[in-house]
């Protein structure tokens, strides 16, 4: 039976229970509880899934509240928590804004606290504190901003409320519930900006589970991200920082004259990088496999050919490869292409962009997300530089062979043997050179460092030339590494259709077994229309956010973790 039935068709309980047993979802049991009643829904293995406690709370709420999920009514007095705090920040101790009424909504945060107001506020209960039997303080949380509501029983007696009903109200409140409070803006004698509640707070959406006070296990957190965000402010702040990083990049490029575009994610083939793509099928073309893009590069350069001067795109790409602390098969990149820009200009632009970004993020952390630490890396211009071939030769204390010779692969393998380095699983020329870089160059890049002028075989889409010093063909390319992690890849684009064809043919010789890559004739034909001298730049957003937030795992900067976490989320039930 389709696993989706467990969630999408919970009313089919009696049909599928025999097959699913204890694995039947809590959501389905609650759904059945609402339809059939508590006497029949509480049996079986629901208690093992925490269904019983949830059902008891649900029953209590249904017996006392007419509507647990009411529609929101428009109210001109409604204020977001941060707007309320800003509007009434000048209230003096003991002062109230009589005659003004506001509505605030949010979650109670740590217990109940006494506050009264004619303002309506909406938010999640963060806390609730009881002072005697007639005074209650409710702390509401909305988007990191708190508002205190002061509920005094004496203010409700005119409406005929009994003390028993008042006690029932605050005994039903739980951390995580979402409430609306209405009352008068007030600042207590202790200086706490509050709302003097005039009407009994309205429940907008109950939290049916017991909201934990802490959540530390990393796997539990990543598989229950909605709870993680509620309990751990730092997890939510990382996503806010990610949003700021992306907005800064976007605004930087827009101000520099780039236009933002969107290019296809699905196509008949994947190009723009050397990687194994994901493949799928479309109902319109059932016999033709379709690949998810591994990079947007070739599409963006087609736009440059079409007359656009500066373009950029932020979006996902997909590579059917492994997962580790800094790699995920689905990832987000920012790529831009601009005409008449050489490598030195691309490097200078990268230095300018990153120094500005770090300054912006430092200010953002100090002012908005105090749960994160500012980046500890110093982005001092100019960044350090290491030339690829001279850097490798200095480390291994011998010269590299002529990388264009037929025996280059064998000669490089001998260097691995002499240096006592295990050969990679795939011993192609690009893999061997990549391995040498990972061992000897990248560990030097703790501070921001450009590795420049890679061998031609490592950069088939970049312009290349004969370096008179090392007497090898190298590319006009630079990679920015920070903390030994690649952050940016930039180079002058190959714009000769003849050179590009030669490089594509060479690239196919190096592909791994099972790699479906083929010669991209469509792109080669597009180059025949004339690609201006163009500089290209790409940055991995996920790794950049790891750097800016100080996190060590790529899953921490993704809304719902890596592919492994997402797949586990769908299969664990």
């Amino acid at each position: 039976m389709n696993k989706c039935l467990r969630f999408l068709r919970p009313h089919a309980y009696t049909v599928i229970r025999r097959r699913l047993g204890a694995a039947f979802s809590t959501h389905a049991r609650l759904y059945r509880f609402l339809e059939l009643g508590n006497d029949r829904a509480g049996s079986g293995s629901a208690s093992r899934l925490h269904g019983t406690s949830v059902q008891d709370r649900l029953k209590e709420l249904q017996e006392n509240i007419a509507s647990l999920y009411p529609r929101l009514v428009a109210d001109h007095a409604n204020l977001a928590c941060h707007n309320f705090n800003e509007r009434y920040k000048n209230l003096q101790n003991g002062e109230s804004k009589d005659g003004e009424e506001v509505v605030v909504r949010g979650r109670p945060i740590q217990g109940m606290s006494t506050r009264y107001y004619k303002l309506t506020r909406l938010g999640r209960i963060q806390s609730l504190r009881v002072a005697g039997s007639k005074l209650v303080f409710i702390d509401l949380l909305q988007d990191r901003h708190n508002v205190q509501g002061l509920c005094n029983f004496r203010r409700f007696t005119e409406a005929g409320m009994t003390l028993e009903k008042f006690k029932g109200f605050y005994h039903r409140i739980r951390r995580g519930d979402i409430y609306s409070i209405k009352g008068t803006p007030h600042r207590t004698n202790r200086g706490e900006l509050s709302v003097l509640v005039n009407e009994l707070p309205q429940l907008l959406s109950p939290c049916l589970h017991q909201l934990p006070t802490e959540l530390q296990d990393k796997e539990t957190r990543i598989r229950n991200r909605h709870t993680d965000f509620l309990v751990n402010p730092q997890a939510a702040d990382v996503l806010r920082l990610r949003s700021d990083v992306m907005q800064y990049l976007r605004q930087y490029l827009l101000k520099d004259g780039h236009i933002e575009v969107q290019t296809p994610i699905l196509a008949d083939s994947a190009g723009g990088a050397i990687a194994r793509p994901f493949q799928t099928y479309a109902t319109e073309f059932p016999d033709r496999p379709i690949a998810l893009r591994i990079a947007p590069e070739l599409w963006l350069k087609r736009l440059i050919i079409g007359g656009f001067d500066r373009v950029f795109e932020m979006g996902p790409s997909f590579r059917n490869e492994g997962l580790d602390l800094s790699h995920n098969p689905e990832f987000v990149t920012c790529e831009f292409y601009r005409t008449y820009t050489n490598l030195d200009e691309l490097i200078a632009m990268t230095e300018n962009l990153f120094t500005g970004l770090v300054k912006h993020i430092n200010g953002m952390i100090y002012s908005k997300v105090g749960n994160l630490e500012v980046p500890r890396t110093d982005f001092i211009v100019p960044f350090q530089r290491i030339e690829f071939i001279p850097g490798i030769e200095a480390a291994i204390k011998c010269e590299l062979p002529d990388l264009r010779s037929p025996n280059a692969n064998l000669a490089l393998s001998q260097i691995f043997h002499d240096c006592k380095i295990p050969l990679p699983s795939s011993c192609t020329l690009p893999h061997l050179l990549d391995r040498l870089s990972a061992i000897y160059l990248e560990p030097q890049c703790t501070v921001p460092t450009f590795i420049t002028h890679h061998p031609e075989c490592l950069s088939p889409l970049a312009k290349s030339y004969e370096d008179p010093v090392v007497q090898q063909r190298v590319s006009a390319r630079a990679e920015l590494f920070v903390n030994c992690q690649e952050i940016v890849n930039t180079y002058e684009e190959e714009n000769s259709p003849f050179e590009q064809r030669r490089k594509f043919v060479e690239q196919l010789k190096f592909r791994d077994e099972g790699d479906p890559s083929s010669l991209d004739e469509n792109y080669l034909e597009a180059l025949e229309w004339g690609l201006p001298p163009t500089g290209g730049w790409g940055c991995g957003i996920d790794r950049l956010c790891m750097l800016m937030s100080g996190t060590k795992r790529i899953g921490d900067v993704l809304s719902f973790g890596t592919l492994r976490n997402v797949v586990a989320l769908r299969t664990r039930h």
Side-chain angles (χ1 to χ4, degrees), residues 136-149:
V136 175
F137 295 89
I138 303 175
D139 289 331
L140 291 186
L141 176 67
Q142 181 191 18
D143 194 27
R144 298 175 293 119
H145 297 276
N146 301 341
V147 166
Q148 177 176 262

Side-chain angles (χ1 to χ4, degrees), residues 256-260 304 308-312 337-339 341:
D256 199 41
H258 296 73
I259 65 169
E260 185 171 9
I304 297 295
F308 292 90
D309 190 59
R310 299 180 180 184
V311 298
F312 78 96
Y337 295 84
R338 48 190 289 149
T339 57
T341 305

